[in-house]
Amino acid sequence: MVLDEDITVEGGHLVFDGVDVVDLARRVATPFFLFSSRRLRRNVSAMVEAFTSRHPDTEIFFASKACSNLWFLDQVRRAGINIEVNSGGELWKAQRVGFAPWQIVFNGVAKTRDEIGSAVQAGVRALVVDSVYELERIAEVAGALGVSAAVDLRVDVNVPTFTHPGLVTAHGGKAGIDLDDALAAFSFAFAHEALDPRGLHLHVGSQITGIEPYVAAVGKGLDLIEAVAAGGLRLDHLNAGGGFAIPYREATVCDPDDYFCAPLAINDYAVAVCGVIARRRPDLKLMLEPGRSIAGTTALLVTTIENTKVKGLRDAAGRRVGDECWLTVDAGSNTLLEHTNYGWYFRSVAASRADEPADAPFRLAGPLCDGGDVFAGDDDTPYRRFPAATAPGDVVVFFDVGAYSLEMMNPYNARPRAAAYAVQDGRVVPIRLADTLDDMVAADVVSGRPVLPAAEPPGED
Ligand code: LLP
């Protein structure tokens, strides 16, 4: 059975990029992530091809917040694209895996003076400016260092988007300069000797399932670039950010209100974005910052079922009206934070029973001491469908966990953050070790030296 080009079923087991995940789960501790370098390379080439075939002057900067594991970043660099960072820490990681300064754009909505200083000194391609206040701060820091900072202005072009409310950025969200203030901000930047304005940035949000927000945002961005040019000032690029959606939910027809269902492929976004640019400014460089659409499909999370029970389903009056069978796996929101943080839906299968019909309903929970650590069900029900015999010892796999998962793991309940492996050149290699017990307490201080002098005891008047 073939589920997609790298996911097949052999002997009842799920096989990912040639690796029997059940066999692997019997040899190494679960939960673990399993990445595929082949899928990553394929996602990068699809993105590059989709945009550069339509607008040759396109540069792609992988949004490293989606997955900043060093192996992953190294693979991204080798695949030939650039990187977007969001903090001094991400800048450090990018430099550590060998990205050159011109390959790095630096975003952020609360950059410290130190972060600005290191980005300016490193000579990054552009610091993306979030506010007029920050523009002045960058000018001050760059001026004190005696250099001129390359900047893009991030503008909230105020277009409606449809996605999870936590992923909206360009319509009353927290990021960017208000469109009304943008022209004045550009004039200020062009007039300041410590600032070197290069472009306009307008990321509109994440998991954007339609093209309309891009068409509207790029259109408004080009209007602004035109207005800046009317004042005799030239910008050399438009950075349209990332946000391209991936299909977390498999469906033949998508309900437009369901942001887990993504009807578009990367080519559709490219046609839309490049189309607007080709009509109005074919000479302009296009920059992009995709994260999820590069990393999302590159990994699985492999877990083991540890517990099961049947509990009564009760009506409002407390009468038992049915039964619910619960399964508890060894990974919850400590390993896949977005499943509770955003109520995110990650498709799953019983990988050790992959050739049995998945037709029995189960409530699926994580291991944490937290009543919210229960996975969303399939098709808007509270239930996941697995084969009826699914039980402790079976392996459950979650799909499309390559973006925003490793990044957001936490050691709640003193559960070690999980290991990650990758399939590379037909071999499984570790790319992240699970926390040891010592790792989990390495930063705790039981008996430390005071950081402030002891307060004077209150005096008597
Ligand atoms: N550029 C900027 C300025 C961004 O803020 C983001 C994402 C991206 C690019 C990449 O967007 P993508 O292509 O991945 O959609 N923790 C959340 C995701 C937060 C996204 C934040 N910004 C989640 O797990 O869904």
Side-chain angles (χ1 to χ4, degrees):
M1 199 191 316
V2 176
L3 303 179
D4 88 10
E5 50 200 327
D6 310 302
I7 303 177
T8 55
V9 175
E10 285 165 35
H13 290 181
L14 192 83
V15 174
F16 180 59
D17 195 1
V19 173
D20 180 326
V21 296
V22 179
D23 187 35
L24 186 59
R26 308 272 187 248
R27 290 162 190 260
V28 302
T30 61
F32 62 84
F33 289 88
L34 183 60
F35 284 76
S36 156
S37 75
R38 185 206 306 257
R39 274 165 100 84
L40 170 54
R41 282 197 306 272
R42 195 184 297 130
N43 289 350
V44 170
S45 344
M47 181 76 61
V48 170
E49 171 62 22
F51 282 90
T52 59
S53 64
R54 297 178 169 95
H55 187 72
D57 194 8
T58 302
E59 279 188 70
I60 295 172
F61 296 75
F62 170 63
S64 65
K65 73 206 85 184
C67 187
S68 70
N69 169 275
L70 293 190
W71 172 87
F72 195 94
L73 294 186
D74 184 55
Q75 294 285 307
V76 167
R77 190 182 60 76
R78 288 170 193 276
I81 57 172
N82 303 329
I83 187 165
E84 179 265 359
V85 301
N86 216 272
S87 68
E90 285 181 359
L91 173 62
W92 178 82
K93 287 188 179 188
Q95 290 175 307
R96 205 175 144 154
V97 297
F99 283 97
W102 64 266
Q103 294 183 285
I104 306 174
V105 293
F106 193 122
N107 267 293
V109 293
K111 300 179 199 73
T112 64
R113 284 175 204 279
D114 280 352
E115 287 177 318
I116 293 168
S118 2
V120 169
Q121 273 174 319
V124 298
R125 184 70 164 275
L127 265 156
V128 181
V129 185
D130 183 69
S131 69
V132 173
Y133 171 81
E134 190 181 78
L135 193 56
E136 289 164 8
R137 178 181 271 199
I138 294 171
E140 202 182 295
V141 174
L145 292 168
V147 291
S148 153
V151 291
D152 283 3
L153 266 51
R154 178 166 182 180
V155 176
D156 180 343
V157 289
N158 200 26
V159 297
T161 50
F162 176 73
T163 180
H164 184 285
L167 299 176
V168 172
T169 53
H171 196 55
K174 71 175 177 180
I177 298 170
D178 194 280
L179 188 53
D180 291 347
D181 303 329
L183 208 49
F186 272 114
S187 304
F188 172 86
F190 273 103
H192 204 295
E193 59 175 14
L195 297 172
D196 175 13
R198 300 275 175 88
L200 168 67
H201 181 289
L202 48 71
H203 174 74
V204 293
S206 193
Q207 187 68 3
I208 305 294
T209 52
I211 55 167
E212 301 77 8
Y214 289 96
V215 172
V218 171
K220 283 187 162 188
L222 293 178
D223 292 346
L224 182 56
I225 290 175
E226 222 168 83
V228 170
L233 308 170
R234 190 184 165 280
L235 292 172
D236 97 321
H237 61 255
L238 172 77
N239 186 331
F244 313 125
I246 63 167
Y248 287 93
R249 207 193 295 285
E250 272 182 334
T252 38
V253 183
C254 283
D255 174 346
D257 290 342
D258 178 3
Y259 44 74
F260 296 126
C261 188
L264 302 179
I266 206 65
N267 272 321
D268 301 309
Y269 293 100
V271 167
V273 171
C274 300
V276 181
I277 295 185
R279 274 194 299 285
R280 297 185 48 187
R281 283 293 306 275
D283 60 306
L284 197 66
K285 179 188 285 298
L286 171 66
M287 292 184 175
L288 298 168
E289 296 171 350
R292 188 187 303 279
S293 50
I294 298 283
T297 60
T298 63
L300 307 177
L301 173 64
V302 182
T303 70
T304 305
I305 299 174
E306 292 292 351
N307 194 5
T308 186
K309 68 186 77 166
V310 175
K311 291 184 77 179
L313 179 66
R314 296 178 196 278
D315 67 10
R319 281 183 299 259
R320 189 167 183 143
V321 292
D323 288 342
E324 284 186 323
C325 185
W326 287 78
L327 297 172
T328 316
V329 289
D330 54 8
S333 53
N334 56 327
T335 313
L336 214 47
L337 179 69
E338 295 303 28
H339 105 78
T340 57
N341 187 29
Y342 280 1
W344 210 255
Y345 174 79
F346 296 97
R347 221 160 18 98
S348 57
V349 297
S352 43
R353 298 180 181 278
D355 56 357
E356 296 172 32
D359 54 6
F362 291 91
R363 301 293 305 273
L364 183 66
L368 303 177
C369 193
D370 175 348
D373 189 28
V374 174
F375 290 91
D378 296 325
D379 305 323
D380 290 332
T381 73
Y383 305 105
R384 297 261 165 167
R385 304 197 84 82
F386 295 125
T390 308
D394 274 319
V395 173
V396 168
V397 157
F398 294 87
F399 292 99
D400 303 327
V401 298
Y404 305 109
S405 301
L406 283 194
E407 292 302 304
M408 301 180 82
M409 282 199 285
N410 61 79
Y412 179 52
N413 280 173
R415 288 183 169 270
R417 287 176 304 160
Y421 300 86
V423 190
Q424 190 173 357
D425 305 324
R427 292 211 152 114
V428 176
V429 292
I431 63 167
R432 189 204 126 75
L433 307 179
D435 290 347
T436 62
L437 292 176
D438 282 334
D439 290 337
M440 286 195 288
V441 295
D444 291 356
V445 181
V446 175
S447 169
R449 287 162 63 97
V451 291
L452 292 175
E456 292 285 322
E460 288 188 17
D461 296 332

